[in-house]
Structure formats: structure tokens, C-alpha cells
Amino acid sequence: MEDLLSVSSTKRISHIDKGSVSTEEAKPAIVDTSADVLKALQSEPSFGLLKSCLVWLSTPQGGFNIKIPGPQASQIISTLVYEIVPTYWQLLKRTSDGQSATARKLLSQCLSSIAGLGALCAKLRILLDAVSKDKDTKLQNSKKIQVEVRDVLELLHRVLRGKGTLSYLWQEIERSDTKPVQRHFYIKELVSRLASGKILSLAAQALILCDLSKAEDNELNWMGEGRVYTSWLGANIADLLQNVSDENADACKLGASLLNRGLSLGYDDQLVEAAFLGLWRGKEDYVPSDLRLFNSLPNFDSTRILSVFLRLTSKRLVSTATSYSDRLTGGISAAVASLVLGRSSLLEYLVDWLTNPVFGGLASEMGVRRAVLTVLFRHSHNADVKEAVKEPDLEMTYFDRVLQKLLNLFSDNLFIQHSSMLNQESCAQSLLLSVGWMYRSNKKHIQDLAKSGPYLNSVSNRLAASSERARFLGMVFGMAVSNLVDPADKKMNFDVEAVNGPEGEWYRNLTQMKDVCTSIGDLKTSRTVEVSALTKPTKNSQQKAKMQATMKVVEIVDVTEEIEDEVDSSDDDLPVYAKPDSDPEDEDEDPTLIQRNKPVPPVYVRDLIAGLKDTENFERHRLAISSAANLIRRKSNFGSEVSDHIERLASQITSLKDSYDLEKFQETRIQAMIALVVAEPLKMGKWFSNMLFVGDYALSQRASMLTALTMAARELAGYREEDAELTGAYVANEDLFPSKKLPDKLDKIYRIDAAPVDALSVQLERAMIKPMAAEAADKLAGPKVLQVRTFSSRMEVEKKRKRPITNQLAKVVADGFFYPLTSRWRANMQVYGDSSIFKNHFLQAHFLKTLALILSASGTSTLSLPAMTVEFWGLLLSVRTAALGAKPVLEALLFGFLTILDINSNDQRRIAEEHSRELLETQAWTEQVLESLGTGTKEDEKIRLLAAGVLVRAKEVVDKYQRLLMGDLVDYM
């Protein structure tokens, strides 16, 4: 097709007579055939003749249709694009009368075809190649090319805009009496034009050339933005399938081909959201066309679409932890059931998705896993939908295999030791749900399961684990199964407060849960509807209930009478003040211009949210941002106003943009986010950790979340006064060479977002390395008996001694901060791999420093310190390879190692016993890093200092417990 659209010659008119475009001309010549039209267009037509040609071309006449590819049509389209558009388009835009608007519309209609798209893309490519080949083009010539590029972009926008473009092009193909071979060629060409990324890449280059990519309100930007363009493509696919009959196999083939090719653009989420409106938004009118499109795809693509759908549904249900309505879960079950009906390959995928951590099912939200379990149970135990239920070799239903695989995974020692706690909790939840389903259908199967080896191994291996959370899950699972199968006097019971508390009861009640597969229309249910009865309890909710139960009513006494009695009736002694100066606002001669209704700072949380949303009112918006942190702190301990709206408030503050270039905007926003986390540590720690990975936020906003989590954790640990300077203003480092700094606008954003964390990491590095340096200096000074020691008075020692602080962070650090961050990190790496946004060196280093600072703030006496050490050490070792190519990540990684060794310095024997492999690997890798470092730059010297500190700490443990590390083999040496 591109050969048919090649240009034989190009002619440009340097001067146009204004009279030629006048709408008041003599009667134009009459054109009757396509040859007349071509001849007229090539002979520098007047406006009237051009309009006559466009009118003749807009409707098929005499067996000629410009929308159908052919030699004559290609020549006419080529003439329109290469001669008429450069000559007339600017003039047609400047003229605002009705005839010019009609001419623009007719010209766009003539190019609304496969050949027209090809000609516009070819013209755009020629212009871009001319710019790239001749980089020394004169400025005047460059401006002319930019004008031509913008003209082509505007025409391309007019041809493509709207969700009915694909339906219109398909209707034109169907109207033509073409053979099946030609129709197949047209489909292939249309797929190549729209879904291969040609238009997307050309438009992106053109927008950059014309300096339009930064303008947010530009209507042409969508063609160069991958997310928006992919959404447009998906919406057109959905509209095409909605407007064709069920028997139209060619249209289904076209939709499936576009969807298949569109997945290669890299925006799967946006494409699936727009293409499957019925299954995603619960629009039942679109469900039949969605299923036809899905069933037209090959197995590989349908599996990929199902994976994306499950991931999107999980993101959609991420609002309130595990609080879902049963109706919404039933709608998800109905959607998944309709997709996998009668397709054994997709049922196999659902089994792997639920039981294999690599597929991401364990990292998804609980509501989605409930829906998938419901679908598998129906396919395995419901005769109405029983299709290809059993495997020929194993003779086990899909649901039986899920139960067996989950139990084997739950009892696996490697999974217990190395998997993230999020995956382990998800596995326990899915396993308990499966046990409940199976017990209601086949009690004997669960009774046999309670006596089997995998069940006993799961409980015993969990009880022997070093992680407190892993032991908790094992005890909860053992008690839940025992409650189902054992008599009352023989039921398993652990006298542990956490297991018998609300959370343990919540886990045990999962076996009683029974979901139903309702209707796809239930997906319209808002995600903030009624909370499910099986909402996972939190510690904050329990404390709040206790506080509300002990609240007392205070009597308000009217004291106005007493005050009035004390007031002296004589006011002769009052001083007389001069008249105040006139109000500056009253100096305006026109009283109607005086603004007396000034906005005031908000005093209620609902007013604060409204002010943050009101970006049109500058003063109100500024006051809301500046007073957000103080209002949240003031209201957090007074009533439930903050807790009732805390998630809406967090979402609004996190997504704020500096529309007015306010002073200290970033610091103020971070302060408000810190106040939110301090108000509800457990709930908001999980919320920010979740949104950090699944929310659609910019890089600077994610950095702000990490900073807020770090500073809030340190404030809960009692370091608020020490960190006050870091969370306020930040002084830029002027020592950096200009090439090492970002542009002023970007430097202002990213420097503020990461400044407190970077400053804290430097401060902590000094605190950890200073004792080692002092010890080294003592060794160089000679024997201790010869060293002079200065004794201080008792008063001076007491004066320097720090007062003990209450570490409130220790209670919530594991469940509220550390585990959500590390678990979501591992899940994100499994799903996205190298394409993850957290592969960015700035964000990756910031994330590692955040974890290290939170671990350091938790203190050496935290009960969950051993479990957090296991989690953090494994995560650090997993990024060793990536750190070698990026010095910021390498610095953060060494800082993390040093933090682990320093905070566990009081229990070095446990490090030698439980983490011998990690310790020796860290020591060997750090030695390699130290040997490979260069010299001269401050950055290398800082990394060298950190690496030396890690080696000193590691060598202390190795030298002290060398016999323990090597085992009994030392006795035989």
C-alpha cells in the first residue's frame, strides 16, 4: 500500500492571490469524473473549484469511491496531501466564515480512509526526515517545516478523533464490493496503520518538533501520548464490535487483530479498560460484544488479557484494605466465569495464578482471589457449568488441585523463609477459603486432610519458623482446620494473645465465608459501598472503640455573669488611641472592586478537602494547603472527623499539583502527609505503601510518599524535635558542579522531596561510623594503659545524657510500614520486572534509604526486629547486580547493610547463627565493591567509607563467632 502512496513530484506555491480564496467568485467549473477532479487539483485550483472537487469526492459517484484504495484514488489523495494542504489549510483556518469550515470538513472526510491515513503518515515522515537530515537548516526554513508539520497533525487529528473512527472505516470497506482476498489485505493494512505504533511514534516526534508536547491543553497531544492513544484504540475496538452483527466474522477478526497488535504498544491496562467496557465497568449492553472479541483471540492473547483484567480489578478494589462488598465480589466472579467458560487453558491459568507467586495472584487483593476461587469451585462441583473439569492423568478437579498446591506452598520451608509476608498472608487466606469451600461440599476430604502429612508439616514448619508472623499464620491455620474436624474437647488451641484476638478470629472465620456468582452488572457497585462483615480488624479500630467507650460528658458552666461582675463600670482610665490609618483596600475609587469576602483558613476537614479541590480560587487553595498539616494534627485527637475522611484527604493531598508556583509547596505537602500517617499509623502506613506501587502518580509524588513515611515513622519513634529542621526548609547544596544538578524547576521538586531522607541518612551514617573511627584511633594511640583518660563530673554526665523517649513506632512498624513496603516491592518486581518504575535509580535509592531509616528508628528492642532483618537483608541482596551500575543505588545499598549490622550489634550471636550465609555474602560482595571503586571524587569516597564501615561490622561478627560459623569442622582441623 505504501508503494501506491509514493510521491512522484512535489510542488509548492510561494505566493497565493487573495482573490483566489475569496468566497464570492464566478461560478466554478463543473467536474464530472475522477480524472477531471485530479486535473483540477493539479492545476492550482481556486477556492470555488477546490470546494466543487471536495463536494464531488465526498460522495461516491460513477463507481468511484475515494475511500477504497486504487490507483486513481491514491493520486487524488496524494495531490490533496502534498499540494492542497500546504497551500490552503492555513488560509482555511484563518477564515471564519461558513464556507471555509465546510471546506475543512470536506477535506477531512476525503482523507478519512486507509489510503488517506497512509498519505498523511508518509507526508509527516518526509517532513521529520528532512529536519533530522539537515540539522543546519536555517531558522526561517525550520519554521516553515513546523507549520507544515502542525497542519498535517491537525488533519490527522480530525481524521482520527472520536471513538467511531474505526466503525466508519469498516463501514466504507463493507460498502465496497471487494473480494475476500482484498478485504483481508485491507484489514491487514488498517491494523498496521492504527495498532503498530506508527502513528504514535510519528505524532510524538512531530509534537516535540513543534514544541507542543508540554502544552497540557493542546488537543493534538493525545496522538503522541501512549496511554491516551491506546485508550482511544480500545474505545474504537469496543465501538466497532458493538455496532456490527454477531455473524460478522470479519469485524471480529479485525477487532482481535487490532487488540493483539495493540498489546505490543506496552499499555495493556489502558487497552483492556477501554476495549472491554462491559466486563470492566459492568455495562451489560457491551458484554456480548466483549465476549465475542475475547473468544476470537488465540490462547496466548486471551491468557494475557485475563491476567491484565485480574490485575486491573485488584487495583480497582484497593481502596480500603480488605473491605469489599459481597455484591461487588459476585460481579467479579460473574465476569471471570464468562471469560473462562469452556476454556480449559484459562482454567489452568487460574490455578497457577492462585498458587504460584510468579503469576502475581498472591499479591492481588483478597476480593479478586475470592472471586477466582468461586469460579473454580463452580466449574469443579456444579454440574450446570462442569466443562473439562478433570485432567485425564491426575483425575483431580481444578479446585482440588488449588487446595493441594496451596497447602504444599504454605508448608514449604523455602517459601516460609524467603517469601514476602504479603504472599504468605495471601496464601493463608486463600487456603482457609478453599478449606471452607471444600468442607461444605465434602467433609470427609477435610477430615482426611487434617490427618495428612502436608497439613502436619505446614503447622510444624510454621511453628519452627523464626518469623513471629509466620508462626502466627501456622497457628491460625491449625486452629481453623481443627475447629472444623475435631470434637470440642480435642480442638487445637494456642494460648497466644494475637491468635485469640480479633485478627486471629478474622482469619478463622474465613472458612465460613461463601461467595456467590451474581451478575456482571454488579461491577457498577461503587467501591465505597457497605463494608463486608469480614473486614480485617486493625489495632487502631480497637483503641478507638475503647476511647469512645470511656468518653465522659463535661458540663459547660455559664460564666458570663461572673465576668460581668468583675468588669469595672468606669472606663475613664482607658487610654485614648489615635484614629487608624485608612484601609489599603478602601483606596480603590471603585467600591465594587473591593474584595471583602476574603477566604479564611478551614476549621473543618470537609472545608479543607473542598479548599484543596478548588484550584480556581487562588486564595482559598493557598490557605487550604498551608493550614492542612496543623488542622490534621489538631483534629486527629478530637473526635472522628479526621479518621472518617482520612483516605479522601490523603488522596487529595498526594495528588496535589503546584498550579500557582507557591512558596514551600513541597515542604507543606509533605508535612500534611506526615500528619496523616501520625494520626492513623497502621491504616495510613498501609495506604501509602499500597498507593506507592499501584497508584498512578508521578516520580516526585512517589518520592514524597516515601519521605512522609520515613519522617512519620521517626516522629512516632520520638525523633520529631531532631528532625524538625529537616522537614521544614532545606538549604540547597551549592558545592555541586552545574553538570551534576538538574534544571532549576526540576531541582526544586526532586531536591525537596528527597532532602529529608538524604540528610537523615548522612546523619545516621556519621553516627554509625564515628564509634568505629574512635576505636581505630584508640588502637593507633598505643596500649590502653598508656592512654590518658579524662573524667567528667557527675553533673556534666547527667547534663549530656539524653532523656528516654517513648517509641510508639515499635508497635506498628512491622505491619504498618515495613512489611507493606517490602511485600509490594517484591510483587511489583515479579509483575513488571525491568519495566517497573522502581528500576529508576533515584526512586530505588530513595526506597532503600526509607527502609533503612524505618528499621533504624524502630529500635533495638523491637520484637519484630529479627523478622524485619530477614526481610530487609534478603531484599538488599536481591538488588546487588543493579546497584553496580548506579552509584546512588550502591550508596543506598551499603547504607542498608550498615544499618542492619549496626541495629543488630547487641545480638551478634543471632546474626551468626541465623544469617551466616547472608553475612558472608555481604562481606565478600562489599570487598569486591571496595576493590572496584575509583578514587578522587567525593561520591566515590563516600561509597568507600560506607563499604569500609560494612566490612568492619561484618568482620567483628565473623572474628568473634568464627567457630560457630564454621561449625564442628574446626575441631578436626
Side-chain angles (χ1 to χ4, degrees):
M1 180 61 67
E2 292 184 359
D3 296 338
L4 298 176
L5 302 175
S6 60
V7 184
S8 58
S9 64
T10 303
K11 178 168 37 175
R12 181 171 312 208
I13 300 173
S14 58
H15 176 72
I16 303 169
D17 186 8
K18 293 184 179 180
S20 63
V21 294
S22 174
T23 58
E24 298 178 359
E25 293 183 352
K27 186 176 180 180
I30 299 175
V31 289
D32 293 328
T33 63
S34 58
D36 295 339
V37 172
L38 180 59
K39 183 177 179 180
L41 293 176
Q42 291 176 345
S43 60
E44 300 182 8
S46 64
F47 178 78
L49 181 58
L50 172 62
K51 186 176 179 183
S52 299
C53 294
L54 295 177
V55 170
W56 191 89
L57 291 172
S58 61
T59 56
Q61 297 183 22
F64 176 80
N65 188 354
I66 195 173
K67 308 296 177 60
I68 305 302
Q72 196 79 25
S74 298
Q75 291 182 13
I76 294 176
I77 289 173
S78 178
T79 305
L80 288 173
V81 172
Y82 288 90
E83 297 185 15
I84 300 302
V85 171
T87 303
Y88 274 99
W89 187 255
Q90 285 292 325
L91 299 173
L92 292 176
K93 283 200 310 180
R94 294 171 191 164
T95 310
S96 58
D97 60 348
Q99 294 193 29
S100 298
T102 304
R104 291 197 301 267
K105 184 178 179 181
L106 291 173
L107 182 56
S108 303
Q109 289 180 357
C110 292
L111 297 177
S112 298
S113 63
I114 301 175
L117 287 174
L120 290 172
C121 291
K123 174 67 174 178
L124 202 56
R125 188 181 296 108
I126 290 173
L127 294 173
L128 295 174
D129 289 344
V131 175
S132 62
K133 289 179 181 179
D134 190 7
K135 295 183 180 179
D136 299 328
T137 306
K138 295 181 180 179
L139 182 62
Q140 185 177 2
N141 191 24
S142 177
K143 288 184 177 179
K144 289 181 180 179
I145 294 179
Q146 289 185 10
V147 171
E148 288 191 45
V149 168
R150 178 152 190 164
D151 292 345
V152 177
L153 277 177
E154 289 175 354
L155 261 174
L156 197 59
H157 164 71
R158 285 175 169 269
V159 170
L160 293 177
R161 64 181 176 183
K163 67 176 183 179
T165 304
L166 187 59
S167 299
Y168 176 77
L169 294 175
W170 178 250
Q171 289 173 4
E172 294 296 334
I173 293 175
E174 284 193 323
R175 286 173 187 167
S176 63
D177 297 331
T178 55
K179 298 179 181 179
V181 177
Q182 289 178 316
R183 181 168 294 191
H184 173 74
F185 178 76
Y186 295 158
I187 291 175
K188 187 176 180 180
E189 183 67 21
L190 189 56
V191 171
S192 176
R193 291 291 175 201
L194 296 180
S196 64
K198 293 179 180 179
I199 295 177
L200 180 62
S201 59
L202 288 173
Q205 295 178 50
L207 289 168
I208 295 174
L209 176 65
C210 298
D211 200 19
L212 298 174
S213 57
K214 298 179 182 179
E216 296 181 359
D217 56 345
N218 183 27
E219 63 177 3
L220 307 178
N221 277 352
W222 71 271
M223 293 184 293
E225 295 181 5
R227 296 176 184 272
V228 185
Y229 181 84
T230 309
S231 298
W232 169 86
L233 180 62
N236 273 267
I237 295 172
D239 184 74
L240 171 67
L241 272 295
Q242 179 71 7
N243 294 326
V244 298
S245 60
D246 298 345
E247 294 78 16
N248 197 329
D250 289 338
C252 290
K253 182 180 178 181
L254 174 60
S257 301
L258 286 168
L259 189 62
N260 182 7
R261 196 72 176 270
L263 290 172
S264 63
L265 296 177
Y267 302 96
D268 298 2
D269 295 0
Q270 287 75 19
L271 185 61
V272 173
E273 282 184 15
F276 294 93
L277 282 176
L279 298 173
W280 174 241
R281 295 296 179 189
K283 295 183 178 181
E284 297 183 352
D285 296 341
Y286 283 82
V287 171
S289 59
D290 288 353
L291 294 179
R292 279 190 287 121
L293 175 61
F294 185 79
N295 293 327
S296 301
L297 296 170
N299 286 335
F300 177 78
D301 291 331
S302 58
T303 303
R304 185 175 177 180
I305 295 295
L306 179 60
S307 174
V308 174
F309 178 76
L310 294 173
R311 185 172 71 245
L312 286 174
T313 310
S314 181
K315 286 184 180 180
R316 184 182 176 188
L317 300 178
V318 80
S319 58
T320 52
T322 53
S323 302
Y324 307 109
S325 70
D326 296 334
R327 184 180 176 186
L328 190 57
T329 304
I332 300 172
S333 302
V336 176
S338 61
L339 291 175
V340 303
L341 183 63
R343 302 186 66 171
S344 58
S345 61
L346 296 182
L347 291 170
E348 291 281 354
Y349 174 78
L350 289 181
V351 174
D352 293 333
W353 185 83
L354 272 174
T355 59
N356 194 334
V358 177
F359 287 83
L362 293 178
S364 64
E365 294 300 315
M366 184 182 172
V368 184
R369 286 181 275 116
R370 284 167 50 189
V372 173
L373 283 171
T374 304
V375 172
L376 289 175
F377 184 82
R378 289 180 72 247
H379 276 79
S380 301
H381 295 86
N382 193 334
D384 297 335
V385 292
K386 201 170 185 180
E387 311 231 14
V389 172
K390 294 186 178 181
E391 284 193 356
D393 297 334
L394 301 178
E395 294 185 354
M396 293 178 62
T397 65
Y398 292 111
F399 195 83
D400 293 340
R401 290 169 54 201
V402 167
L403 181 58
Q404 182 181 4
K405 286 187 174 185
L406 284 174
L407 185 58
N408 292 336
L409 183 66
F410 189 71
S411 62
D412 186 29
N413 278 321
L414 291 176
F415 181 73
I416 296 172
Q417 294 176 6
H418 301 289
S419 183
S420 65
M421 198 52 60
L422 175 67
N423 285 350
Q424 297 190 43
E425 290 178 352
S426 300
C427 182
Q429 294 164 7
S430 301
L431 184 57
L432 289 170
L433 289 169
S434 304
V435 168
W437 278 106
M438 186 61 71
Y439 180 76
R440 287 188 292 271
S441 63
N442 190 353
K443 294 183 180 180
K444 190 174 185 308
H445 191 287
I446 299 301
Q447 292 173 353
D448 295 338
L449 178 71
K451 302 174 184 178
S452 63
Y455 167 75
L456 298 176
N457 289 336
S458 65
V459 177
S460 59
N461 291 346
R462 288 273 165 181
L463 293 178
S466 59
S467 172
E468 179 184 356
R469 190 66 179 173
R471 295 195 296 270
F472 167 79
L473 295 176
M475 289 185 283
V476 166
F477 175 65
M479 291 179 62
V481 176
S482 178
N483 289 342
L484 293 177
V485 299
D486 293 335
D489 57 339
K490 295 184 179 181
K491 287 184 179 179
M492 187 182 299
N493 187 23
F494 295 95
D495 191 12
V496 179
E497 181 180 357
V499 177
N500 295 321
E503 188 178 9
E505 184 180 358
W506 180 85
Y507 270 96
R508 291 193 297 273
N509 287 338
L510 290 178
T511 57
Q512 311 299 327
M513 189 175 215
K514 183 178 180 181
D515 294 311
V516 293
C517 189
T518 57
S519 171
I520 295 178
D522 291 334
L523 288 174
K524 296 179 182 177
T525 306
S526 175
R527 59 182 181 179
T528 56
V529 293
E530 72 275 5
V531 177
S532 174
L534 290 175
T535 302
K536 189 175 179 179
T538 60
K539 297 178 182 178
N540 284 4
S541 61
Q542 301 168 30
Q543 295 175 0
K544 190 179 296 182
K546 293 180 181 179
M547 291 176 60
Q548 292 177 354
T550 57
M551 288 177 64
K552 296 181 180 180
V553 179
V554 180
E555 183 181 1
I556 300 175
V557 181
D558 188 2
V559 295
T560 55
E561 296 180 1
E562 299 178 6
I563 295 175
E564 289 176 358
D565 294 340
E566 296 176 1
V567 175
D568 190 359
S569 59
S570 176
D571 55 356
D572 297 336
D573 298 334
L574 294 177
V576 179
Y577 294 97
K579 289 184 178 181
D581 296 335
S582 60
D583 193 344
E585 295 183 356
D586 294 335
E587 294 179 359
D588 202 316
E589 295 181 359
D590 188 356
T592 61
L593 299 178
I594 300 175
Q595 177 65 25
R596 299 195 181 277
N597 296 327
K598 281 188 174 182
V600 296
V603 293
Y604 297 105
V605 173
R606 64 175 181 272
D607 297 334
L608 175 61
I609 296 174
L612 293 174
K613 290 182 179 180
D614 189 5
T615 56
E616 301 296 329
N617 190 334
F618 166 74
E619 194 64 28
R620 185 186 183 192
H621 189 63
R622 183 186 64 80
L623 286 173
I625 294 175
S626 60
S627 58
N630 292 332
L631 180 62
I632 294 169
R633 290 184 183 276
R634 190 169 67 248
K635 292 280 188 176
S636 59
N637 296 323
F638 182 78
S640 61
E641 191 176 359
V642 171
S643 59
D644 291 344
H645 303 87
I646 194 165
E647 289 186 2
R648 289 178 56 202
L649 196 55
S651 179
Q652 192 65 37
I653 291 174
T654 306
S655 58
L656 276 178
K657 293 182 180 179
D658 192 5
S659 305
Y660 297 103
D661 197 16
L662 298 175
E663 185 180 359
K664 294 185 178 181
F665 170 80
Q666 299 292 344
E667 299 97 316
T668 309
R669 182 163 64 100
I670 291 176
Q671 283 285 356
M673 294 164 67
I674 294 172
L676 288 171
V677 179
V678 173
E680 294 278 350
L682 192 60
K683 182 177 183 179
M684 297 314 297
K686 291 181 178 180
W687 190 91
F688 276 110
S689 302
N690 212 357
M691 287 300 168
L692 179 67
F693 292 94
V694 303
D696 189 11
Y697 294 106
L699 198 66
S700 61
Q701 291 172 325
R702 296 177 196 268
S704 299
M705 292 186 195
L706 290 172
T707 301
L709 287 173
T710 304
M711 306 311 296
R714 288 182 59 83
E715 182 174 337
L716 290 170
Y719 296 102
R720 182 182 181 184
E721 295 181 359
E722 296 181 15
D723 300 341
E725 297 180 358
L726 298 175
T727 56
Y730 175 73
V731 181
N733 187 1
E734 302 296 342
D735 297 334
L736 290 176
F737 195 72
S739 63
K740 298 288 185 180
K741 296 174 64 176
L742 291 169
D744 293 339
K745 188 174 182 180
L746 296 176
D747 184 65
K748 179 182 176 182
I749 297 174
Y750 292 104
R751 172 170 49 82
I752 295 300
D753 287 331
V757 173
D758 291 339
L760 280 175
S761 62
V762 172
Q763 181 181 351
L764 193 57
E765 287 169 13
R766 293 174 181 172
M768 291 186 292
I769 294 176
K770 188 175 180 180
M772 292 186 281
E775 186 178 350
D778 289 344
K779 290 182 180 179
L780 292 175
K784 291 185 178 180
V785 294
L786 300 179
Q787 297 178 13
V788 179
R789 183 177 178 184
T790 304
F791 292 91
S792 302
S793 65
R794 183 176 179 182
M795 296 297 293
E796 291 179 358
V797 173
E798 291 294 333
K799 192 180 296 183
K800 294 180 180 179
R801 181 177 297 172
K802 293 183 179 181
R803 301 176 65 181
I805 56 178
T806 303
N807 193 342
Q808 299 178 356
L809 177 66
K811 303 175 183 178
V812 297
V813 62
D815 296 334
F817 292 83
F818 206 83
Y819 289 152
L821 285 173
T822 56
S823 301
R824 289 292 175 186
W825 164 275
R826 294 181 185 273
N828 186 272
M829 291 297 108
Q830 287 178 358
V831 174
Y832 296 103
D834 293 336
S835 62
S836 172
I837 191 175
F838 282 86
K839 284 293 184 178
N840 179 277
H841 295 162
F842 164 75
L843 197 58
Q844 193 173 19
H846 199 38
F847 178 79
L848 295 178
K849 287 182 180 179
T850 296
L851 289 176
L853 290 171
I854 291 175
L855 182 67
S856 174
S858 64
T860 57
S861 302
T862 305
L863 295 177
S864 56
L865 179 60
M868 290 192 296
T869 300
V870 174
E871 191 83 5
F872 192 32
W873 213 333
L875 188 148
L876 292 177
L877 290 174
S878 67
V879 297
R880 284 177 293 177
T881 305
L884 294 176
K887 290 185 179 180
V889 182
L890 180 60
E891 179 188 341
L893 185 60
L894 291 171
F895 175 64
F897 283 135
L898 187 59
T899 303
I900 289 176
L901 295 172
D902 184 76
I903 199 171
N904 289 281
S905 58
N906 295 335
D907 196 2
Q908 293 181 345
R909 183 178 181 87
R910 178 176 57 81
I911 294 293
E913 288 179 345
E914 300 179 3
H915 305 285
S916 56
R917 181 185 63 83
E918 292 87 347
L919 178 64
L920 296 176
E921 284 188 15
T922 302
Q923 184 182 14
W925 180 79
T926 308
E927 289 175 352
Q928 295 177 3
V929 171
L930 200 56
E931 293 175 358
S932 63
L933 280 175
T935 57
T937 62
K938 291 184 179 180
E939 193 175 18
D940 288 339
E941 290 300 325
K942 187 176 182 181
I943 295 175
R944 185 183 295 277
L945 184 63
L946 283 171
V950 173
L951 282 178
V952 170
R953 286 296 189 191
K955 194 174 181 181
E956 286 181 4
V957 182
V958 173
D959 293 344
K960 189 173 182 180
Y961 298 98
Q962 188 171 10
R963 180 181 292 272
L964 181 63
L965 289 170
M966 298 186 66
D968 296 333
L969 292 176
V970 178
D971 299 332
Y972 297 94
M973 295 177 62

